Amino acid sequence: EVQLVESGGGMVQPGGSLRLSCAASGFTFSMSAMSWVRQAPGKGPEWVSVINYSGGSTYYADSVKGRFTISRDISKNTLYLEMNSLKPENTALYYCVRGRADYVRELRSLAWGQGTQGTVSS
């Protein structure tokens, strides 16, 4: 079955950085678009970024453009999210998602990981 395991979360001060990783298995990683979705406390899921199957095309939510970078290492079946210049409002549980979370009508139709917590606080 599809397995997505996020790691790399933690607590940083405002302006700091975190690098999240997602280890993927159970499907052909090289043929799947991948996304990052986050959920802040008390709020609904928010799409953050998406990358195409090859890594050649990336897209970002307006709120993170210029600060976050999505990438993938096909040989390692691993997805990454580099988060820089972090703000307290970026505090959320960050999920790795198989597919185009920016496009599908129903997010629950996609495979999600368990999430990794990113906390930005002074």
Side-chain angles (χ1 to χ4, degrees):
E1 75 285 358
V2 173
Q3 287 191 307
L4 301 167
V5 182
E6 300 95 334
S7 62
M11 180 178 289
V12 296
Q13 294 186 333
S17 299
L18 283 173
R19 181 176 171 84
L20 310 182
S21 298
C22 169
S25 62
F27 65 100
T28 306
F29 183 72
S30 62
M31 294 180 65
S32 297
M34 298 293 294
S35 301
W36 286 99
V37 172
R38 67 186 178 189
Q39 188 163 15
K43 297 184 178 180
E46 176 191 21
W47 169 73
V48 175
S49 186
V50 63
I51 189 167
N52 79 332
Y53 71 96
S54 70
S57 296
T58 59
Y59 300 93
Y60 302 89
D62 288 343
S63 61
V64 307
K65 285 181 180 177
R67 299 188 297 116
F68 289 17
T69 302
I70 189 172
S71 62
R72 66 196 299 167
D73 187 329
I74 304 300
S75 68
K76 296 181 179 179
N77 279 12
T78 302
L79 178 73
Y80 302 98
L81 184 67
E82 181 75 31
M83 306 190 294
N84 300 313
S85 301
L86 286 165
K87 308 172 182 179
E89 56 262 43
N90 297 146
T91 294
L93 188 61
Y94 284 78
Y95 297 95
C96 172
V97 179
R98 178 191 175 190
R100 289 194 58 181
D102 64 318
Y103 184 74
V104 299
R105 181 177 182 180
E106 184 56 66
L107 282 175
R108 76 185 79 184
S109 69
L110 302 177
W112 295 48
Q114 84 290 344
T116 186
Q117 179 68 36
T119 301
V120 185
S121 176
S122 60

